[in-house]
Amino acid sequence: MERIPVIEIFGPTIQGEGMVIGQKTMFVRTAGCDYRCRWCDSSFTWDGSAKHEVEWLTPEQIWQQLKQLGDDRFGHVTISGGNPALLKGLSALVTHLKEKGVRIGLETQGSVWHDSFDDIDDLTISPKPPSSNMETNFATLDMIMDRLATHRGRVSLKVVVFNDQDFSYATYVHQRYPSVPFYVQVGNDHIHEADDVTLRLNLLQKLEWLVEQVIQSKHMNDVCVLPQLHTLLWGNRRGV
């Protein structure tokens, strides 16, 4: 049976990002990523610092942990990472969760296609802007967005924005795929800040700046601007 490298399972909580912001959900965070984003707030999934926490679990073992934590208090599961689209066992997990009657959310940067995307209820494609120090392969992203044109669930694009260059990148992505629901979200560039009040003030200032950029842009008339809700609520803590 397929096993998946899981670094943490937690919840119930709420989704803090993207089109399902505020959605009550459980989280399954997988290990491994093909990116090394400079500001990644989940770098422990790929930098080796939490390798002792990784468990190789079957879909049923994952389900049992979800039920132990959430009991009957959830109907939605978010598969996160890292980049869960890299995992061969993802399809088996998605199938198992669907058989249990839960809705599934998943976020990936759009660097690789996975056949399980077709069965994801809330799929967020989040290409990474210049501040990440990563480079988007638009040929691959084009292929993925083309294949998702007939997706049965909800699909959206989300770009995290830290600065003017990121905003220009987000504008380009939105114009490249104008028919796809599009979200811009404030980036957290204080991922090691322990003072929640200081962190919130910084994030709200960045949110005000981002809202003003969208307001002034003639190319961003059909986008949504979001905070990073979980960080506003709980700071940089894990497992919330």
Side-chain angles (χ1 to χ4, degrees), residues 42-61:
S42 303
S43 58
F44 58 89
T45 63
W46 51 261
D47 67 6
S49 63
K51 61 183 179 181
H52 59 286
E53 301 178 43
V54 177
E55 294 184 275
W56 286 86
L57 302 177
T58 67
E60 177 60 22
Q61 288 172 326

Side-chain angles (χ1 to χ4, degrees), residues 134-164:
M134 297 292 105
E135 185 172 345
T136 302
N137 183 330
F138 279 102
T140 299
L141 188 56
D142 286 346
M143 175 273 292
I144 290 172
M145 300 312 298
D146 285 345
R147 294 182 70 168
L148 290 174
T150 57
H151 189 269
R152 295 186 292 271
R154 296 195 297 169
V155 177
S156 69
L157 282 160
K158 183 195 78 177
V159 174
V160 177
V161 175
F162 287 82
N163 53 39
D164 289 334

Side-chain angles (χ1 to χ4, degrees), residues 6-218:
V6 175
I7 207 162
E8 58 182 354
I9 297 174
F10 60 93
T13 183
I14 60 167
Q15 173 60 258
E17 301 183 340
M19 66 177 171
V20 287
I21 190 169
Q23 169 69 54
K24 184 179 180 181
T25 190
M26 299 290 292
F27 272 87
V28 177
R29 188 181 299 281
T30 62
C33 192
D34 51 334
Y35 275 23
R36 300 292 184 267
C37 295
R38 179 186 61 81
W39 36 249
C40 180
D41 60 2
S42 303
S43 58
F44 58 89
T45 63
W46 51 261
D47 67 6
S49 63
K51 61 183 179 181
H52 59 286
E53 301 178 43
V54 177
E55 294 184 275
W56 286 86
L57 302 177
T58 67
E60 177 60 22
Q61 288 172 326
I62 292 171
W63 174 249
Q64 290 301 322
Q65 288 197 30
L66 289 167
K67 288 295 289 182
Q68 183 177 5
L69 289 169
D71 194 21
D72 59 355
R73 295 176 292 124
F74 72 97
H76 189 278
V77 174
T78 298
I79 304 172
S80 186
N83 184 5
L86 299 175
L87 304 177
K88 293 181 179 179
L90 180 61
S91 294
L93 175 59
V94 169
T95 298
H96 198 71
L97 293 176
K98 299 294 279 190
E99 289 173 351
K100 299 298 183 180
V102 299
R103 288 171 43 235
I104 302 172
L106 186 142
E107 180 174 321
T108 179
Q109 57 262 48
S111 58
V112 61
W113 171 264
H114 200 291
D115 287 341
S116 67
F117 288 172
D118 287 330
D119 296 313
I120 302 297
D121 299 286
D122 302 309
L123 180 61
T124 299
I125 307 298
S126 183
K128 305 310 177 189
S131 63
S132 68
N133 291 340
M134 297 292 105
E135 185 172 345
T136 302
N137 183 330
F138 279 102
T140 299
L141 188 56
D142 286 346
M143 175 273 292
I144 290 172
M145 300 312 298
D146 285 345
R147 294 182 70 168
L148 290 174
T150 57
H151 189 269
R152 295 186 292 271
R154 296 195 297 169
V155 177
S156 69
L157 282 160
K158 183 195 78 177
V159 174
V160 177
V161 175
F162 287 82
N163 53 39
D164 289 334
Q165 191 178 12
D166 288 357
F167 187 76
S168 296
Y169 172 89
T171 302
Y172 174 78
V173 172
H174 179 46
Q175 291 180 298
R176 193 177 181 102
Y177 313 105
S179 64
V180 182
F182 192 82
Y183 298 81
V184 285
Q185 183 170 304
V186 172
N188 175 14
D189 50 9
H190 289 72
I191 57 175
H192 301 297
E193 176 61 65
D195 184 342
D196 290 352
V197 174
T198 300
L199 180 60
R200 289 183 185 120
L201 179 60
N202 176 264
L203 288 172
L204 290 172
Q205 289 173 338
K206 295 292 287 288
L207 179 61
E208 183 179 9
W209 169 81
L210 182 56
V211 167
E212 184 62 25
Q213 300 308 302
V214 170
I215 288 171
Q216 296 301 327
S217 173
K218 66 180 181 180

